[in-house]
Amino acid sequence: MVRLNSVCVYCGSGFGGDPAFRQAAVTVGRGLAEAGIGLVYGGGNVGLMGTVAHAALESGGHVTGIIPDFLKSRERMLDDIQETVVVGDMHTRKKLMFDRADAFVAMPGGIGTLEELIEQMTWAQLGQHAKPILLLSINGFWDPLLTLLDHMRGHGFLRPGLDPAFLVATDPADVVPMLTEAVARREADPADTELVKARM
């Protein structure tokens, strides 16, 4: 059976205005740890970023934080994790996060989270990777992005064969099962590049 060994989680360095975001971060971190899946994240100890890491650690999970030197004080680097990688710049950070992960989850966040998500979608669209990408749309957080993608699709900018493949979940408990299934499906049929949208 194909194994999902590590998942990169993109999320905010703040908590946002909805308490459900923080609870979702706890559920995701705990779920990864309980499934024996390592967490790769941005290395900070604040906001949703710190919450998902603490939840994984408290459940016995393995956590890898990758943080650029200039953010160590701003995002209060989390010292309790098993592995911290300090890099020189954001480009190196993002590349290492990509290299260390078998799949990606975008939780609620700001411009940085959006940029990281879009980069992975772009790389997938260009055929640079086939790793699952999942948007965790708590209380409809990512709905405006999905509407924008539909808008692009309607104008012919996302054409068949060039439409980025991704999953959408609304329940944080579904993250691990959906990613595990996606990895197994991709391994069984590497040529399968159809768009996957799963709303649960």
Side-chain angles (χ1 to χ4, degrees):
M1 181 176 178
V2 179
R3 173 132 180 89
L4 180 64
N5 293 306
S6 59
V7 170
C8 176
V9 175
Y10 302 128
C11 56
S13 58
F15 290 108
D18 189 335
F21 298 162
R22 187 190 298 226
Q23 184 54 52
V26 171
T27 301
V28 170
R30 182 184 299 141
L32 291 172
E34 290 176 350
I37 299 169
L39 167 67
V40 177
Y41 87 118
N45 192 22
V46 293
L48 300 182
M49 190 185 301
T51 300
V52 71
H54 279 291
L57 287 171
E58 289 168 5
S59 297
H62 186 279
V63 179
T64 298
I66 302 174
I67 191 167
D69 186 70
F70 76 93
L71 281 181
K72 284 195 300 184
S73 59
R74 186 187 307 179
E75 294 185 352
R76 299 210 305 269
M77 188 171 66
L78 181 56
D79 296 323
D80 297 336
I81 60 179
Q82 291 91 343
E83 182 181 14
T84 298
V85 182
V86 179
V87 297
D89 54 60
M90 291 294 288
H91 296 291
T92 305
R93 177 200 216 180
K94 292 191 296 179
K95 180 61 167 61
L96 280 178
M97 291 171 81
F98 170 80
D99 290 341
R100 295 291 188 95
D102 300 318
F104 307 93
V105 173
M107 294 187 57
I111 292 174
T113 301
L114 177 63
E115 188 267 343
E116 290 168 321
L117 166 63
I118 294 299
E119 183 171 66
Q120 293 307 333
M121 293 174 75
T122 302
W123 290 358
Q125 182 187 48
L126 296 174
Q128 297 305 293
H129 77 84
K131 300 177 181 182
I133 302 166
L134 186 147
L135 283 65
L136 180 53
S137 190
I138 302 300
N139 291 338
F141 181 84
W142 290 115
D143 285 356
L145 175 61
L146 298 175
T147 298
L148 177 59
L149 292 173
D150 284 338
H151 178 69
M152 293 175 176
R153 204 171 286 117
H155 281 278
F157 289 107
L158 295 180
R159 300 181 298 279
L162 291 177
D163 212 333
F166 59 90
L167 300 150
V168 180
T170 58
D171 185 340
D174 292 328
V175 168
V176 170
M178 288 175 68
L179 290 178
T180 302
E181 179 184 346
V183 167
R185 186 173 58 245
R186 185 70 69 181
E187 184 70 14
D189 184 7
D192 179 11
T193 57
E194 291 184 5
L195 176 67
V196 178
K197 283 187 181 180
R199 287 181 176 272
M200 302 184 73

